[in-house]
Amino acid sequence: MGSDPLSPIAPARPRALLLPTGKITHASFMAFAERMKSVSVVRLGDVSPDARPNRTMFSPLAFPMGSMIYNLSIALPPPSHLALSPFELFREPLIILGLADCSEHPALAHGDGLDDADPAKDSTGAGRSKEQELDELSQTLRDLQEQYSRALVHVVLLFDCSLPARALPQGIIPVPPKRLSRATTMKTVMCDVSSLFLAELTTYAKSLQALPSMDSPPSSSFDQRGPNGHLSWDAHRMSHLSQHRASISGSASRSRSGSPSATNRNQHRMSMPARALSAATGAAGTADGVGTSSPANGTSTPLAASEDTSGAEKASAGPSTANSSPKLSGGGPLTGTARDKILVHGFGSGSLSERARNKGRGRVGLVIGTLFLLAGRWEDAVGELVESAVIAKANGDHLWHAKALETITVPAICYPTADRSSSLSFKASNHANASSSKDADSASTVSRRLVSLQNLANLLPDLLNLILALYNRASSNAGESLPQLAYSEFLIRYGKILAAAYHRAGRLDDDALEHFVLNRPLPPRLGLQPADDAFSPSKVWIATMTFRAMPPPSDDALAAVDRVTIYAGMASVLSSLGFRRKKAFIMRELVATLIPSLIQARKVGAAELGVHPAAGLTVLNAVGSDAVASGSFDLSENDKESGVEELLALLCRAYGIVGSDFLTQDVRSRQPRSTPRASAKPEQRDSRLDDSSDATIARALRHAFCRSFGNQNLKLHVLRCCINVCEALPDFQGVLRFTSELLRTAGSGIAPDAGSHEASATLSREEQIRLATNISRTIIAARKVGIPHIAADYWDEFLIRGVEHLEPKPLRRAFPHGKDELKASIDLAEKAEKTPFIFDPKRKAVENARTDKLLIAGEQVEFRVTLQNLFEFEIEIERLSLDTEGVEFACMEHTTIVGSYRKQTMVVTGVPRTAGQLKVTGCVVQISGCWPRRFPIFNEPWYRVHDSKLQGLRPDVTINQHQRSASEASAASKLTNTAIGPKALILDLGVIDSLPLVEVENIGLPQAAMMMLEGETKSLSVTLRNISSTTPVDTVLFSFEDSTLPPIRAHMRDKDTTPAQMHELELQFQRRAFRWSGGNIADFRIDPEHCATVELEVLGKAGLTGGVLQFDYSYLGQAREDVEGRFYTRQLRVPLTVSVNASVELVWTDVLPFSSGFHQQGQSTASNPPGEIAPPTSQFNRLFRALREHNDGKSHSILVLDLRNSWRNPLQLTLQVASPTTENHNGSDGAVYTTTDTVSPGRTVRFMLPFPRILLLNSLAPIPILDPANRRQFVLNSERLSSESERQSRREFWYRHEMLKLLSGHWNEPISGRSGAIELRRIRLSHQMMDAVRLDEVGVRTVVEPANPGDGDRYVFQVAPATYDIQTNSFVTLTTRISNRTQASVHAMFRMQPSLRNQQSHSALNLGGRLLWNGLLQQPLPLLAPGVTTEVALSVCVLCQGEYEFNASVEEIQLVQTKNAGAKLAPHAIGDDRPLDEKNRRTWHAQTPCTVSAQDADLEDGYS
């Protein structure tokens, strides 16, 4: 808790040593010391002066504005520091303060006054009186005076004491408890101690003034004798120091007899070790209890000069009076030795020369000036020091001259600060008699102070050079060289002053002075401009001067502690100047100096334990005694300070170690180690390291950036040094921490892919194994000494390289479904009409929806975790579980061993408790020897990318977050924003409610196989069992997959498929090979642990070889219409094997028109041919009978089908032709034509059927599409058809489509009773077949009638349909009936073209003299409304016998724009959407021309 020994004002701080006194615990002692530290600055104006007239040399009244800045220490300075006294008097403790706890003295704690003599009971039950307690404290005070005899003041502070001061012996000052203390209580106590100290300084100074001279300090700390033979400090004090250090080392584990033992470390007694003093020694002590008494008491006063020990004892043995001893000007007595020295050096033939006497006077004056400086009398100190410097300069005393110049700057720094800080309080003091002119001159005082400060700042460089030159000159004289410790500390102090001046633009202003004196932070230099007359030292010059403080490596006389202190001071100066690399060099030297000393200390400790020192940390493994463990290695949480950790962390940051920012975070967020972090649950994992995904990615980026700077081998060397330091302390947590950092720095810090070779560590395999072993060895050693909760941080952020959800068995998977899937049937075409776009982005395909990851609540799930180990040693994972968010997830803890340098997978199981969303964000892993922490999931490879633009950026830009410029901060911000870090994976899963589980109990087929004929339908029963014990099945969705569907899908995906082919493929795709036939599927239910039977129908399709029945079942718990959103089912798939044999094959198809020769009933065209095709005569009879029923047969055609029996048994074939509806066709009566025949195996039979002609109102309509999923937008066939070809294709499609509506057939096997449908979709139509089956939109028919209706058949005789015989030279009437069968009006022109039959075209129209007609052969017709029939009559007279033909035609002369309401257009079409409607005028001809055979009248009898 001491102040900075390298502070510029350290020579102005009197050292006060705080010691535990009496019965006091460690915690109480530290608390009392903290109370003392809060009042370490005492203003002289608050100190009461000593009333004795001979103690006024350092009276506080002479300079009330001054302050005493105490250096409160709890440790005795090392001998190397004490050797410099009185040359540097501030190093020696002049005040001894014993801290006692009144609560440990029950008689004093419960006393109520001076007359309280009743014994009290302490904690042990032993009764002790107040007098006994006071005598014990008095004896303790006397022990302090005896042990620290060179100190000036010895005082015991009795804390938490409510007794008045008069109730205690002299030298014991009571301090009330905090609850009873006021703000000025502790300040009053320190003022009382300061008053005693100032009074004793007078005697001490006068004893110094009596000396003729003082020796220079020894150049070596081990040289105890100066060049003149005088001891710089006596052996008697050295023995006391040895005993004191021994007592301090054992005070932590020893206590006074009778003190109760306690298990808490903070309650251990810390008693002052008592020395065995004789009665004579105790009687020789002073009676007033202070370090020195008044001259009347005749006691001795300690001297700073060298004295003979025996002389000092003789002087203190007997009293001396004022008459028997010479006195100084102050009236103080002299000891015998000092008196002898005065006599020897002042008189006689052996006296020194005048030059030697002046040098001695100057040296004594320097020490007196130092005493004024310690007393806060800074003005007087400057005077004494200036006078001493002048004397030393005049007499060539270079060492003391330089020391005087060095010390002069201290009061120059302290005085302006005290002047400014205490000016207001000084004005408000009791000095009311001050003159009024002081207020008027305050402005001039301030200006003079600023001028003096500026002059001091300008003087510092020259003063420093002068002091250095003087020290160099002094070193040439024997015994006059300055010790390395003092020389280095002097340079460091001046380096701090110059660094502060540099930061204040060459000024020593109030901020800089407060930084020195009050230890306040120095404000930044922003906005400061150097003054015109200011000297601004450069950074390089200051650093060069600071490096002169480095002790030479060959100086073995300098203690390791002093060397470390010097290195720390140099690093502080270089850090304030921004020289981070130079600071790193100094820090490395500091650690290199610490290691041998710590190793030596470890050897000493091992010797005390009785083990070999080479065992290192393993020495603790062999220690089985609890006494040893609780002795030398009894480490509690409060014993180890954070100084070493911060030092090593600072060293790592300076060298750009990869994880050098970890220690700062650890110190800020450290939890007490009493918390069992290693044994905590994964949810209570260690919180000192932020293991969130963002923080882990940020660390990976910082580590990658740090790896791009510095020398890798140098970084590894620094970390090895840190490990050695921690092993020698021993600091178990530090060993683990830096071992982890060494592995992290040596590692690649990347997430490599499978084929990468850049991921290996830079350490050898043997060293990696040794470091891994060192971690486990350190943890075992720490647990043996009572530190169980200790572990390292894992060194690879990319431990988890993947987490993948493993799909459960097919029976246990869950699949999502939409609400529409609950309907029994969906009209896809009607549903698709709701949107005009072919592609709807809002529509989700079922296949994509089924790929979602789903978990089921209450059922175990499995995850595959991929682990990465890039080192050459195995890592043991003691506990691994998933880190999840969302619903509650019970993850099982798993263990494994990851091999060296590999990726390894393991399976982790868990159970989600409730339904909802589950996010797997990482894994909580506890590796053997490491803290449990969360690791994010990095499944993608990641490598660090070095940016060449940031090549000049130092690594501390991203590590050191303070003391950096704005440009560096912006560069770090740029790096953070532009760097692409690894991406952490978050596995998002859905958890649904529990579902039933169903399995197949029985299938009604042997070996799940069946044989069928094409077109046959069979029944199939499947028995299902619900093996769930709690959840029933109330919803079943049935679907299937057969072997015919994949080829159909492949053809449908082909872009060269024509629209007609696509329509045919869709029809085949919609023909289900399996159908539900077990009643209403919505009523199907399976109770828990029960069975149910499903009835199905199987259709024999051509090419069917097998199929899969798929049952999607679930439990909804509500009506289907109440389901909102998605629901989830399990899926049961039942495979079947089906063999389909051919039954009936369509061989050939033709459509023939009727001719006029078929009107004779029973006429046969030919006898039965000898081939395979042998249509029976009965077919013709039935055909003619049907045609006779339909008049002349012009509305029908003949459909010819050749069918072959491909089965091994005879089949009875039946074909049916349905009559078209009256709405679309004329002459319809709804009749059905049926023909049946039995076909032998392998035989082909021709069937002839009357087929009604088909009227298509819009034969050019686009071909429709049945499945909206097959619609194509802006996709054309690779071979673009012409418009005519497209028209032909569409006509063929629509006529075939209408034919298949009217035609059907089925077969029956008489032997077995099996039956099925005949596949007739193989029918294809040619152009002639379409003409035969087509019925024109406008019908034209011509008949011949007698001119006079009364003539009857006299002149006109109908031979056949459209064939007549008439007489020549007689008028007949040709009546042409024109019918509009469309739904639109027709405006047309009628034409009649007579001609000779069976003649050439040029002679057939030569009708002159052969034919007469009355009327126009070409005439316009009235507008034909839809469904209207009109007649055109023409009188004709044939003049010459012969055969004539009358061809009637109707030509459209004007297009009428009307809606074609009768056309059945396809709502969705595919293919070419060009306008194919015929815009030209149409022409309709009579189906059969009217034939007239004219005969002369004389042949009339021949016709009768």
Side-chain angles (χ1 to χ4, degrees):
M1 64 173 291
S3 59
D4 183 12
L6 301 177
S7 173
I9 64 165
R13 291 181 173 180
R15 179 184 289 268
L17 182 61
L18 305 182
L19 298 175
T21 303
K23 301 175 183 178
I24 185 172
T25 61
H26 177 76
S28 300
F29 175 75
M30 296 305 298
F32 299 156
E34 286 296 329
R35 293 184 65 182
M36 297 290 296
K37 185 178 178 181
S38 62
V39 289
S40 59
V41 180
V42 178
R43 196 173 69 91
L44 294 182
D46 299 332
V47 178
S48 302
D50 195 287
R52 292 170 289 185
N54 57 347
R55 304 295 178 93
T56 59
M57 183 177 178
F58 296 93
S59 175
L61 299 180
F63 189 67
M65 291 186 301
S67 298
M68 296 179 63
I69 308 172
Y70 284 97
N71 180 11
L72 302 177
S73 175
I74 59 175
L76 192 67
S80 59
H81 288 233
L82 296 176
L84 295 176
S85 177
F87 184 73
E88 291 182 347
L89 197 58
F90 66 92
R91 299 180 183 274
E92 184 176 4
L94 301 178
I95 303 174
I96 304 299
L97 298 179
L99 306 185
D101 190 1
C102 186
S103 60
E104 299 293 339
H105 301 273
L108 300 179
H110 298 84
D112 55 357
L114 292 175
D115 299 332
D116 186 8
D118 296 334
K121 296 286 185 179
D122 60 4
S123 58
T124 62
R128 300 187 63 183
S129 64
K130 183 185 299 183
E131 288 76 9
Q132 293 175 343
E133 298 284 358
L134 294 178
D135 291 342
E136 182 180 353
L137 291 177
S138 300
Q139 181 62 35
T140 303
L141 179 59
R142 288 191 293 270
D143 293 342
L144 292 177
Q145 294 171 357
E146 177 68 21
Q147 189 170 1
Y148 303 97
S149 59
R150 295 194 58 85
L152 302 181
V153 176
H154 302 80
V155 176
V156 174
L157 300 180
L158 186 59
F159 282 84
D160 296 342
C161 179
S162 57
L163 295 177
R166 69 179 186 276
L168 301 176
Q170 190 173 2
I172 301 177
I173 302 177
V175 180
K178 276 189 176 182
R179 64 179 184 276
L180 302 178
S181 300
R182 294 179 295 179
T184 59
T185 300
M186 289 303 301
K187 185 178 295 186
T188 303
V189 173
M190 288 301 297
C191 289
D192 295 341
V193 174
S194 301
S195 178
L196 294 174
F197 176 65
L198 294 177
E200 296 304 325
L201 276 182
T202 302
T203 305
Y204 185 51
K206 291 179 180 180
S207 63
L208 294 177
Q209 290 175 352
L211 299 176
S213 179
M214 292 185 180
D215 292 334
S216 298
S219 58
S220 173
S221 59
F222 300 99
D223 186 8
Q224 302 180 9
R225 193 172 298 272
N228 297 329
H230 301 294
L231 291 175
S232 57
W233 40 284
D234 52 33
H236 178 70
R237 184 181 63 177
M238 187 61 187
S239 63
H240 284 297
L241 293 178
S242 302
Q243 296 174 7
H244 172 71
R245 291 176 62 87
S247 63
I248 289 297
S249 63
S251 60
S253 60
R254 298 192 304 267
S255 61
R256 285 186 176 271
S257 59
S259 61
S261 60
T263 58
N264 188 357
R265 182 67 179 84
N266 293 334
Q267 297 299 325
H268 290 174
R269 305 291 182 180
M270 294 187 60
S271 301
M272 185 64 199
R275 295 181 56 197
L277 299 178
S278 61
T281 305
T286 58
D288 54 358
V290 294
T292 56
S293 60
S294 60
N297 295 331
T299 57
S300 62
T301 302
L303 302 179
S306 300
E307 296 180 359
D308 184 74
T309 306
S310 60
E313 293 176 353
K314 293 177 181 179
S316 60
S320 60
T321 60
N323 297 328
S324 62
S325 61
K327 296 183 179 181
L328 299 175
S329 58
L334 293 178
T335 62
T337 305
R339 182 169 59 250
D340 295 339
K341 287 184 178 182
I342 293 176
L343 294 175
V344 172
H345 294 285
F347 302 95
S349 59
S351 62
L352 299 176
S353 63
E354 185 66 23
R355 180 183 178 90
R357 285 196 298 269
N358 291 334
K359 288 175 62 175
R361 186 164 57 89
R363 294 182 178 185
V364 173
L366 174 60
V367 178
I368 297 299
T370 305
L371 293 178
F372 277 108
L373 188 61
L374 296 176
R377 298 272 297 271
W378 299 325
E379 269 187 344
D380 300 329
V382 172
E384 290 289 342
L385 294 173
V386 170
E387 182 180 356
S388 301
V390 172
I391 296 174
K393 179 181 179 181
N395 295 277
D397 195 358
H398 305 300
L399 179 62
W400 293 79
H401 180 203
K403 188 61 181 178
L405 295 178
E406 175 190 346
T407 315
I408 285 175
T409 58
V410 178
I413 293 174
C414 297
Y415 180 74
T417 306
D419 185 18
R420 186 172 72 100
S421 61
S422 60
S423 59
L424 295 179
S425 60
F426 182 75
K427 291 179 181 179
S429 63
N430 296 328
H431 300 278
N433 53 354
S435 60
S436 60
S437 61
K438 190 171 184 178
D439 296 335
D441 295 340
S442 59
S444 61
T445 303
V446 173
S447 63
R448 288 195 303 270
R449 182 173 62 86
L450 295 178
V451 170
S452 62
L453 286 175
Q454 190 59 48
N455 293 335
L456 178 61
N458 297 336
L459 183 63
L460 280 177
D462 297 335
L463 182 60
L464 177 59
N465 293 329
L466 177 58
I467 296 174
L468 290 175
L470 291 174
Y471 279 144
N472 291 334
R473 293 178 61 182
S475 62
S476 60
N477 300 329
E480 293 293 327
S481 61
L482 184 67
Q484 183 63 40
L485 175 62
Y487 180 75
S488 299
E489 290 187 355
F490 150 70
L491 288 174
I492 293 173
R493 292 192 188 100
Y494 268 76
K496 290 186 176 182
I497 297 175
L498 293 175
Y502 166 77
H503 286 292
R504 304 306 297 170
R507 299 183 179 91
L508 284 181
D509 53 5
D510 296 332
D511 294 329
L513 297 179
E514 290 181 355
H515 171 66
F516 297 145
V517 179
L518 304 179
N519 201 20
R520 294 179 181 176
L522 190 65
R525 189 179 177 176
L526 301 177
L528 290 179
Q529 297 296 332
D532 297 336
D533 56 346
F535 172 76
S536 181
S538 65
K539 294 168 52 176
V540 178
W541 184 78
I542 300 175
T544 303
M545 300 300 296
T546 304
F547 265 97
R548 297 180 64 177
M550 178 177 289
S554 60
D555 189 3
D556 298 334
L558 189 62
V561 177
D562 299 333
R563 189 181 293 269
V564 168
T565 305
I566 293 172
Y567 286 149
M570 294 177 62
S572 176
V573 176
L574 295 175
S575 177
S576 63
L577 295 176
F579 291 109
R580 296 183 178 90
R581 292 185 180 180
K582 293 180 175 61
K583 172 189 173 183
F585 171 75
I586 296 298
M587 295 291 293
R588 187 164 64 92
E589 292 296 326
L590 187 150
V591 174
T593 305
L594 274 178
I595 294 175
S597 301
L598 294 176
I599 292 176
Q600 181 64 27
R602 184 177 61 186
K603 292 180 180 179
V604 174
E608 294 178 356
L609 291 174
V611 296
H612 196 277
L617 286 178
T618 56
V619 66
L620 301 177
N621 297 338
V623 177
S625 174
D626 295 338
V628 177
S630 62
S632 301
F633 292 96
D634 188 9
L635 302 177
S636 67
E637 300 304 324
N638 296 325
D639 286 340
K640 187 171 70 69
E641 299 180 358
S642 61
V644 176
E645 292 182 353
E646 294 177 355
L647 171 65
L648 298 179
L650 184 63
L651 177 63
C652 294
R653 285 199 299 270
Y655 278 91
I657 303 299
V658 171
S660 56
D661 56 343
F662 75 100
L663 189 58
T664 305
Q665 299 175 0
D666 179 49
V667 172
R668 287 197 302 264
S669 60
R670 180 183 302 166
Q671 296 179 348
R673 294 182 187 172
S674 58
T675 303
R677 295 183 295 184
S679 60
K681 296 181 179 179
E683 296 79 4
Q684 302 173 353
R685 52 185 177 269
D686 181 35
S687 61
R688 66 184 184 89
L689 183 65
D690 189 359
D691 54 8
S692 62
S693 298
D694 295 338
T696 304
I697 293 174
R699 279 197 303 272
L701 285 174
R702 290 197 301 270
H703 296 171
F705 183 66
C706 292
R707 284 186 172 91
S708 61
F709 292 93
N711 187 287
Q712 180 75 358
N713 295 329
L714 185 59
K715 294 179 181 179
L716 298 180
H717 174 70
V718 170
L719 287 172
R720 293 188 187 100
C721 293
C722 294
I723 295 174
N724 293 335
V725 170
C726 294
E727 284 183 345
L729 283 176
D731 181 8
F732 303 109
Q733 187 63 55
V735 172
L736 298 177
R737 182 179 296 113
F738 289 107
T739 304
S740 174
E741 288 308 310
L742 180 57
L743 292 173
R744 180 181 287 111
T745 304
S748 59
I750 62 174
D753 52 8
S756 177
H757 300 284
E758 303 176 0
S760 59
T762 56
L763 296 176
S764 63
R765 182 175 183 272
E766 292 74 13
E767 186 173 3
Q768 295 182 41
I769 296 176
R770 182 179 59 82
L771 292 174
T773 307
N774 190 36
I775 292 178
S776 59
R777 184 165 50 88
T778 303
I779 294 176
I780 294 175
R783 290 174 180 174
K784 283 186 175 292
V785 297
I787 307 179
H789 310 298
I790 185 172
D793 290 319
Y794 190 65
W795 41 88
D796 188 5
E797 302 291 345
F798 301 97
L799 175 65
I800 305 300
R801 291 302 310 278
V803 175
E804 181 184 0
H805 171 239
L806 296 180
E807 290 288 346
K809 296 180 179 180
L811 290 177
R812 294 183 175 272
R813 296 178 188 174
F815 300 88
H817 299 273
K819 180 181 179 181
D820 295 338
E821 297 184 46
L822 290 173
K823 298 180 180 178
S825 62
I826 301 175
D827 188 0
L828 298 178
E830 180 180 357
K831 179 182 177 182
E833 288 182 357
K834 298 180 181 179
T835 171
F837 301 102
I838 293 178
F839 172 72
D840 187 2
K842 297 181 180 180
R843 185 177 69 247
K844 297 181 179 179
V846 178
E847 291 79 9
N848 295 335
R850 293 195 176 187
T851 59
D852 295 341
K853 303 290 186 179
L854 294 176
L855 309 180
I856 302 175
E859 296 188 9
Q860 181 173 304
V861 294
E862 294 181 346
F863 295 88
R864 181 167 52 236
V865 179
T866 304
L867 304 171
Q868 168 182 286
N869 179 20
L870 301 180
F871 295 86
E872 296 294 339
F873 56 86
E874 297 179 347
I875 59 173
E876 179 184 357
I877 296 181
E878 297 178 349
R879 185 173 64 235
L880 187 146
S881 60
L882 298 179
D883 183 66
T884 60
E885 297 178 358
V887 300
E888 181 183 357
F889 183 79
C891 184
M892 316 309 183
E893 295 181 352
H894 298 75
T895 61
T896 187
I897 296 178
V898 183
S900 60
Y901 200 78
R902 69 187 61 188
K903 284 184 180 179
Q904 186 171 317
T905 60
M906 63 177 300
V907 177
V908 179
T909 59
V911 178
R913 298 300 186 187
T914 57
Q917 285 298 120
L918 177 67
K919 292 183 179 181
V920 180
T921 60
C923 295
V924 179
V925 185
Q926 181 176 2
I927 300 172
S928 177
C930 299
W931 292 114
R933 56 160 290 192
R934 173 187 173 274
F935 289 90
I937 307 170
F938 297 108
N939 60 329
E940 297 181 359
W942 181 79
Y943 299 87
R944 60 180 183 270
V945 179
H946 179 64
D947 192 356
S948 59
K949 296 181 180 180
L950 301 176
Q951 193 171 10
L953 195 64
R954 292 189 298 272
D956 52 85
V957 171
T958 56
I959 298 176
N960 193 5
Q961 300 298 328
H962 48 275
Q963 295 183 356
R964 63 183 184 183
S965 61
S967 61
E968 292 175 341
S970 62
S973 176
K974 177 182 177 182
L975 174 68
T976 305
N977 295 333
T978 59
I980 301 177
K983 296 181 180 180
L985 174 67
I986 297 179
L987 195 61
D988 197 353
L989 303 171
V991 183
I992 61 176
D993 291 324
S994 59
L995 295 176
L997 185 60
V998 176
E999 65 179 7
V1000 178
E1001 179 77 10
N1002 184 27
I1003 300 178
L1005 293 174
Q1007 299 180 355
M1010 62 188 310
M1011 191 277 293
M1012 303 179 65
L1013 294 177
E1014 183 180 356
E1016 184 183 6
T1017 301
K1018 283 189 175 182
S1019 298
L1020 175 65
S1021 60
V1022 179
T1023 303
L1024 306 178
R1025 172 178 291 276
N1026 184 6
I1027 62 177
S1028 175
S1029 59
T1030 57
T1031 308
V1033 177
D1034 63 354
T1035 301
V1036 175
L1037 302 178
F1038 174 71
S1039 59
F1040 74 95
E1041 182 75 18
D1042 61 64
S1043 59
T1044 63
L1045 298 183
I1048 295 177
R1049 291 193 187 99
H1051 287 290
M1052 293 171 65
R1053 288 192 295 265
D1054 189 1
K1055 66 177 182 179
D1056 294 333
T1057 304
T1058 63
Q1061 294 174 350
M1062 179 65 72
H1063 182 85
E1064 189 66 24
L1065 291 173
E1066 289 178 339
L1067 288 177
Q1068 295 180 14
F1069 190 82
Q1070 290 182 358
R1071 292 183 63 191
R1072 304 298 181 182
F1074 303 94
R1075 292 193 301 269
W1076 180 279
S1077 62
N1080 189 2
I1081 194 173
D1083 299 334
F1084 187 81
R1085 180 183 176 90
I1086 307 177
D1087 293 329
E1089 300 180 351
H1090 283 71
C1091 297
T1093 302
V1094 178
E1095 298 294 335
L1096 303 175
E1097 289 184 354
V1098 184
L1099 174 63
K1101 296 174 59 177
L1104 180 64
T1105 59
V1108 177
L1109 305 179
Q1110 179 174 308
F1111 300 92
D1112 292 279
Y1113 59 92
S1114 178
Y1115 174 71
L1116 300 180
Q1118 56 183 340
R1120 295 193 174 193
E1121 56 272 8
D1122 297 336
V1123 175
E1124 297 294 338
R1126 282 188 174 188
F1127 67 98
Y1128 301 91
T1129 65
R1130 274 202 172 104
Q1131 196 174 91
L1132 178 64
R1133 297 172 65 89
V1134 182
L1136 294 177
T1137 301
V1138 182
S1139 298
V1140 178
N1141 297 323
S1143 56
V1144 178
E1145 181 183 357
L1146 179 62
V1147 179
W1148 185 74
T1149 305
D1150 196 5
V1151 180
L1152 303 174
F1154 278 108
S1155 64
S1156 59
F1158 281 97
H1159 68 283
Q1160 297 180 0
Q1161 180 179 2
Q1163 183 178 358
S1164 176
T1165 59
S1167 61
N1168 295 336
E1172 294 183 355
I1173 303 176
T1177 306
S1178 59
Q1179 288 194 34
F1180 289 98
N1181 296 332
R1182 290 193 300 269
L1183 176 63
F1184 294 144
R1185 190 181 307 114
L1187 293 176
R1188 188 172 58 248
E1189 294 175 358
H1190 293 283
N1191 197 4
D1192 56 358
K1194 291 183 179 180
S1195 61
H1196 285 70
S1197 58
I1198 297 177
L1199 176 62
V1200 181
L1201 299 175
D1202 290 346
L1203 300 178
R1204 177 187 294 125
N1205 180 8
S1206 300
W1207 183 234
R1208 61 174 178 264
N1209 296 327
L1211 298 178
Q1212 183 178 4
L1213 308 182
T1214 301
L1215 297 178
Q1216 295 180 352
V1217 177
S1219 177
T1221 59
T1222 307
E1223 180 182 2
N1224 296 332
H1225 304 86
N1226 295 332
S1228 174
D1229 56 359
V1232 177
Y1233 178 80
T1234 303
T1235 179
T1236 303
D1237 199 354
T1238 301
V1239 183
S1240 301
R1243 298 282 295 178
T1244 301
V1245 176
R1246 176 167 292 174
F1247 289 84
M1248 293 185 297
L1249 299 92
F1251 198 85
R1253 293 177 180 269
I1254 299 173
L1255 173 64
L1256 285 180
L1257 300 180
N1258 187 8
S1259 62
L1260 301 179
I1263 298 176
I1265 184 172
L1266 303 180
D1267 189 0
N1270 297 325
R1271 286 181 291 173
R1272 302 174 184 172
Q1273 190 172 18
F1274 309 119
V1275 177
L1276 300 179
N1277 296 333
S1278 59
E1279 297 181 0
R1280 185 179 177 89
L1281 300 178
S1282 62
S1283 299
E1284 186 61 29
S1285 299
E1286 184 68 21
R1287 292 191 189 99
Q1288 183 66 20
S1289 175
R1290 294 187 183 183
R1291 289 193 186 101
E1292 179 185 357
F1293 171 80
W1294 286 113
Y1295 279 108
R1296 178 175 175 274
H1297 181 71
E1298 294 297 330
M1299 285 183 61
L1300 294 175
K1301 285 184 179 180
L1302 304 178
L1303 181 63
S1304 63
H1306 63 275
W1307 57 265
N1308 183 25
E1309 185 179 11
I1311 299 177
S1312 60
R1314 300 165 66 179
S1315 61
I1318 301 176
E1319 180 60 53
L1320 298 175
R1321 297 201 65 87
R1322 297 188 180 93
I1323 295 177
R1324 296 293 181 267
L1325 299 180
S1326 63
H1327 182 69
Q1328 293 78 10
M1329 296 169 65
M1330 285 190 296
D1331 291 341
V1333 80
R1334 178 170 56 88
L1335 187 64
D1336 291 336
E1337 293 90 343
V1338 176
V1340 181
R1341 183 182 179 187
T1342 303
V1343 296
V1344 180
E1345 297 177 349
N1348 296 318
D1351 293 342
D1353 296 336
R1354 181 180 177 183
Y1355 300 104
V1356 179
F1357 180 76
Q1358 184 176 3
V1359 180
T1363 303
Y1364 298 90
D1365 290 343
I1366 63 174
Q1367 292 182 3
T1368 59
N1369 299 321
S1370 61
F1371 279 91
V1372 294
T1373 302
L1374 297 179
T1375 303
T1376 303
R1377 294 183 177 88
I1378 303 170
S1379 301
N1380 183 8
R1381 301 188 181 108
T1382 68
Q1383 299 297 325
S1385 300
V1386 177
H1387 196 187
M1389 173 73 73
F1390 172 75
R1391 288 187 177 90
M1392 177 64 74
Q1393 180 64 51
S1395 64
L1396 293 176
R1397 190 181 182 189
N1398 301 324
Q1399 297 294 325
Q1400 298 292 333
S1401 60
H1402 63 275
S1403 61
L1405 297 178
N1406 187 11
L1407 299 177
R1410 295 175 182 269
L1411 185 64
L1412 298 176
W1413 61 86
N1414 183 15
L1416 298 176
L1417 295 180
Q1418 179 176 331
Q1419 57 180 322
L1421 296 177
L1423 184 65
L1424 296 178
V1428 175
T1429 301
T1430 185
E1431 295 182 352
V1432 178
L1434 179 66
S1435 297
V1436 177
C1437 179
V1438 179
L1439 301 178
C1440 182
Q1441 63 180 359
E1443 292 184 351
Y1444 300 88
E1445 287 185 353
F1446 294 90
N1447 293 314
S1449 63
V1450 176
E1451 181 180 0
E1452 191 175 16
I1453 60 176
Q1454 184 179 357
L1455 298 177
V1456 180
Q1457 300 294 334
T1458 58
K1459 270 189 179 181
N1460 193 356
K1464 184 178 180 182
L1465 301 179
H1468 304 286
I1470 184 173
D1472 196 350
D1473 56 354
R1474 291 174 291 173
L1476 301 178
D1477 294 340
E1478 296 176 334
K1479 300 300 181 183
N1480 299 329
R1481 291 177 296 176
R1482 295 169 292 178
T1483 301
W1484 297 276
H1485 301 274
Q1487 184 177 3
T1488 304
C1490 182
T1491 304
V1492 176
S1493 178
Q1495 302 291 334
D1496 292 336
D1498 56 358
L1499 299 176
E1500 180 181 359
D1501 296 338
Y1503 291 100
S1504 57

